[in-house]
Amino acid sequence: MGRQDDRLRAMYLGRHGNGTARRFARFWAVVHQLGLLPRRWVTLEVPGRRTGRMTRFPLGMADVGGQWYLVSMLGECHWVANVRAAAGAATLRRGRARRVTLVEVPVAERAAVIRRYVQKVPGGRPHIPVDRHQPVAAFEAIAADFPVFRVVPVPPGT
């Protein structure tokens, strides 16, 4: 698994996807829009903080205590900055579009979510330096480096 992890990490040097990563992202965005995968796989749509154009990021979600969360496997990256600039207003697509508010989780509450994320989202594992089998306490040491957002659905018609 080490070589595969190295290849996945290499696609995101400098916390930005290379050409291969961008092609995969476009592919997965289409798959998510078709709703062919389980609920945890979505495409995040959020306005770009500089251009205002809609940007799309295929992501896996973690579920903890009946809540859904987005975790940034790359730490501080473009989608995180865009969500913050949009005050958390975003759309998640999985088959259909759902408006949501993304609420940033305080560092002290992130460890359990990040652990669940690496357990359920294989593509994120190479980027998060704690083994998925470690206890939650092991994730506390890296929690400040990986932003986490709770997904809050926006009621229809609002």
Side-chain angles (χ1 to χ4, degrees), residues 14-86:
R15 298 181 188 216
H16 298 87
N18 65 15
T20 302
R22 288 190 299 274
R23 283 189 294 280
F24 277 123
R26 283 190 293 274
F27 168 78
W28 286 113
V30 169
V31 171
H32 296 166
Q33 286 179 5
L34 296 173
L36 300 176
L37 295 173
R39 183 176 178 193
R40 94 174 48 262
W41 302 101
V42 297
T43 296
L44 169 67
E45 295 180 347
V46 63
R49 65 193 176 283
R50 294 188 186 128
T51 65
R53 289 190 322 231
M54 193 57 63
T55 59
R56 291 171 180 82
F57 302 89
L59 301 170
M61 295 192 297
D63 55 318
V64 177
Q67 296 284 319
W68 287 95
Y69 297 86
L70 292 174
V71 176
S72 176
M73 70 180 189
L74 301 176
E76 297 293 333
C77 63
H78 288 300
W79 75 258
V80 170
N82 290 346
V83 165
R84 288 175 178 151

Side-chain angles (χ1 to χ4, degrees), residues 111-112 115 130 134-142:
R115 180 174 187 252
V130 179
Q134 294 294 314
V136 171
F139 289 86
E140 291 171 356
I142 55 105

